């Protein structure tokens, strides 16, 4: 599917914006950036968030420097599209990497990008992620304790958390427990849902790291029909003063499913943020 075709499908939904993926093939041509922005904005929508996956925990300094350069290019991309939020990750959980070393490397690289983000009016958002599709190893900061250490290490106004409740299941952990620890730093959210195709949550938690690959017993599902407790999630976010973008991760089974997920989130958002 061409990006322009995807835009025309997405703008028909009851949403205000389209989260972008830095890896769209057509984004390799910078001439397309303005074209896509104008197409989206012609429908009264915006492109608020960029999804990208830097690997900041590699032991080689030259590799990390290249990842920093890539992140700055993604900041340029976000800025050109009119966005305000650009995702960062920690990097891969390589076997020889200690927790302290990994936190230090990831924090150093993110902090190296923050002045550039600030100059462009972009906030870098660290997601509690599982694993990029092109990575050999899972996310270094997948687990709650490591993620919180990294978040606490970085105190910059252009840095925050992109909270994804479903990824905590892949870590074998409780999404509400994580949220309560970082809700004061959450500036954006990925709304998604997962359901168990087989077994129990305890079976899932017994699997190494929560999952090898994306756990076979766990599948994407329609939002509001899976494991996540959106009343508990939105209650905590509301209490923390959250008032940011909620990006929908769904549509695995087509546009009809995606429309139902949009409707569910609209209803919940009006319940907790009635003025929105």
């Amino acid at each position: 599917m061409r990006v322009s075709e995807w835009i025309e499908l997405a703008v028909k939904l009851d949403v205000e914006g389209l989260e972008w993926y830095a890896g769209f093939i057509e984004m390799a041509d910078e001439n397309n950036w303005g074209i896509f922005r104008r197409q989206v904005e012609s429908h009264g929508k915006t492109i608020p968030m960029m999804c990208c996956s830097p690997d900041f925990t590699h032991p080689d300094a030259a590799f990390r420097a290249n990842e920093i350069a890539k992140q700055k290019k993604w900041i340029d991309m976000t800025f050109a599209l009119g966005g305000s939020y650009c995702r960062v990750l920690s990097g891969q959980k390589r076997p020889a990497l200690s927790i302290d070393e990994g936190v230090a490397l990831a924090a150093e690289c993110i902090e190296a990008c923050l002045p550039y983000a600030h100059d462009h009016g972009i906030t870098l958002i660290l997601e509690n992620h599982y694993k990029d599709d092109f990575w050999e190893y899972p996310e270094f900061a997948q687990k709650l304790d490591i993620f919180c250490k990294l978040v606490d290490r970085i105190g910059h106004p252009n840095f925050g958390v992109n909270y994804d409740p479903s990824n905590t299941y892949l870590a074998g952990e409780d999404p509400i427990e994580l949220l309560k620890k970082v809700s004061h730093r959450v500036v954006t959210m990925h709304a998604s849902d997962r359901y168990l195709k087989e077994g129990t949550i305890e079976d899932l938690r017994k699997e190494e790291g929560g999952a090898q690959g994306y756990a076979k017993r766990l599948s994407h599902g329609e939002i509001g029909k899976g494991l996540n407790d959106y009343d508990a999630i939105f209650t905590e976010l509301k209490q923390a003063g959250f008032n940011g973008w909620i990006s929908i991760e769904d549509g695995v089974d087509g546009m009809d499913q995606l429309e139902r997920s949009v409707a569910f989130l609209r209803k919940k958002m009006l319940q907790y943020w009635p003025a929105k």
Side-chain angles (χ1 to χ4, degrees), residues 128-203:
N128 57 304
H129 202 241
Y130 168 58
K131 184 182 181 183
D132 185 76
D133 289 340
F134 299 99
W135 286 3
E136 181 179 359
Y137 302 106
E139 177 79 22
F140 167 75
Q142 180 190 16
K143 293 288 190 177
L144 180 154
D145 58 341
I146 303 175
F147 184 79
C148 290
K149 280 185 180 181
L150 180 54
V151 170
D152 290 344
R153 180 79 171 256
I154 304 170
H156 192 283
N158 287 77
F159 175 80
V161 168
N162 180 68
Y163 171 68
D164 187 321
S166 294
N167 284 337
T168 55
Y169 291 115
L170 290 158
E173 296 177 335
D174 180 358
I176 305 302
E177 181 184 358
L178 171 63
L179 179 58
K180 287 183 177 180
K181 290 183 180 296
V182 299
S183 58
H184 62 294
R185 303 293 299 275
V186 174
V187 293
T188 60
M189 175 182 173
H190 276 168
S192 59
D193 226 335
R194 297 293 211 288
Y195 68 92
L196 286 164
K197 293 189 289 187
E198 58 185 37
T200 66
I201 287 290
E202 288 305 312
D203 293 328

Side-chain angles (χ1 to χ4, degrees), residues 200-221:
T200 66
I201 287 290
E202 288 305 312
D203 293 328
L204 179 66
R205 287 175 177 161
K206 289 174 185 175
E207 295 176 0
E208 184 180 358
Q212 185 177 5
Y214 270 87
K216 292 180 175 62
R217 70 175 75 249
L218 199 64
S219 178
H220 272 283

Side-chain angles (χ1 to χ4, degrees), residues 38-172:
R38 288 190 293 273
Q39 184 181 355
V40 171
E41 291 181 352
S42 73
H43 293 280
K45 315 290 185 183
T46 63
I47 302 172
M49 300 165 62
M50 176 67 67
C51 192
C52 45
S53 304
D55 182 0
F56 289 146
T57 57
H58 196 282
D60 181 65
F63 183 97
R64 296 195 304 276
N66 187 59
E67 292 297 289
I68 290 170
K70 285 163 59 176
Q71 184 68 47
K72 289 180 178 179
K73 182 69 175 289
W74 292 326
I75 291 169
D76 288 337
M77 187 184 290
T78 307
F79 179 78
L81 292 171
S84 301
Y85 301 95
C86 186
R87 189 178 76 176
V88 290
L89 298 177
S90 58
Q92 297 186 58
K93 187 181 180 181
R94 294 175 172 85
L97 188 66
S98 72
I99 292 175
D100 287 344
E101 182 185 13
V103 169
L105 290 177
E108 178 183 286
C109 291
I110 293 171
E111 287 169 340
C113 298
L114 281 167
Y116 195 77
H118 177 268
D119 289 345
H120 289 75
I122 305 295
T123 298
L124 300 184
I125 47 177
L126 180 69
E127 181 177 346
N128 57 304
H129 202 241
Y130 168 58
K131 184 182 181 183
D132 185 76
D133 289 340
F134 299 99
W135 286 3
E136 181 179 359
Y137 302 106
E139 177 79 22
F140 167 75
Q142 180 190 16
K143 293 288 190 177
L144 180 154
D145 58 341
I146 303 175
F147 184 79
C148 290
K149 280 185 180 181
L150 180 54
V151 170
D152 290 344
R153 180 79 171 256
I154 304 170
H156 192 283
N158 287 77
F159 175 80
V161 168
N162 180 68
Y163 171 68
D164 187 321
S166 294
N167 284 337
T168 55
Y169 291 115
L170 290 158

